[in-house]
Amino acid sequence: MKAFVAGLMIALFGLATPALANQFEAELKALATGRIAEVVSSASVIDAIKAQNAQTAGYDQAKIDELDKTWRAEADSADQPMIDEVMERPVSVFLSEVQEASDGLFTEIFVMDAKGLNVGQSEVTSDFWQGDEAKWQETFSKGAGATHISDLEEDESTQTVQSQVSVPVVDPATGEVIGAATFGVNVEKL
């Protein structure tokens, strides 16, 4: 019933209101500490982020901007070598399998490194650098246990009402936050 009301509110009023955005907060937080926590603590995710952190540790903002610019250009092109390389990584395959097994609950999943750069993803994102967005800033820098829940939005292509749930990724060996993850959640499937 909540999903119907959410869809109706968005259909009637266009954009989600703050009250509507919080309507699923309890369920989304429970998802963050349950299924999402299981995925982001997997060896596939941890190992991929640690490997990329070793590679990107010395990147400055100019390098990050260059990578993001390349990604954005490829997203609008038929030639996508950078995007293809990321999408073919084992962690991206793993995230795609998690999304597929969710029976429509997860609409996208992507993990980011300590710089906010994509490490792996189930769907192609519009940009490569997430470090300038709340999904990374409100999780990576806030530490273990942080959760960022976005406002509800209607995805016009799928006609579903969604929210993004983002969490930090913690290295179980050290307790250190090493990255972050974002899950697009179809709230009609909660």
Side-chain angles (χ1 to χ4, degrees), residues 115-135:
K115 299 282 187 177
L117 298 169
N118 291 349
V119 175
Q121 56 213 56
S122 64
E123 303 287 334
V124 177
T125 56
S126 59
D127 53 356
F128 185 66
W129 183 49
Q130 314 299 327
D132 60 341
E133 298 179 36
K135 64 183 65 121

Side-chain angles (χ1 to χ4, degrees), residues 67-97:
L67 290 168
D68 194 49
K69 182 179 178 182
T70 299
W71 183 277
R72 288 173 184 257
E74 285 186 15
D76 294 328
S77 169
D79 186 29
Q80 301 179 321
M82 182 181 180
I83 291 173
D84 290 345
E85 188 275 324
V86 172
M87 295 303 295
E88 292 168 2
R89 292 177 181 171
V91 70
S92 292
V93 172
F94 169 72
L95 296 174
S96 294
E97 290 169 353

Side-chain angles (χ1 to χ4, degrees), residues 40-42 45-46 49-50 143-146 167-180:
V40 302
S41 65
S42 71
V45 171
I46 300 296
I49 292 174
K50 288 169 73 173
V167 297
V169 177
V170 177
D171 182 346
T174 65
E176 175 188 1
V177 175
I178 59 172

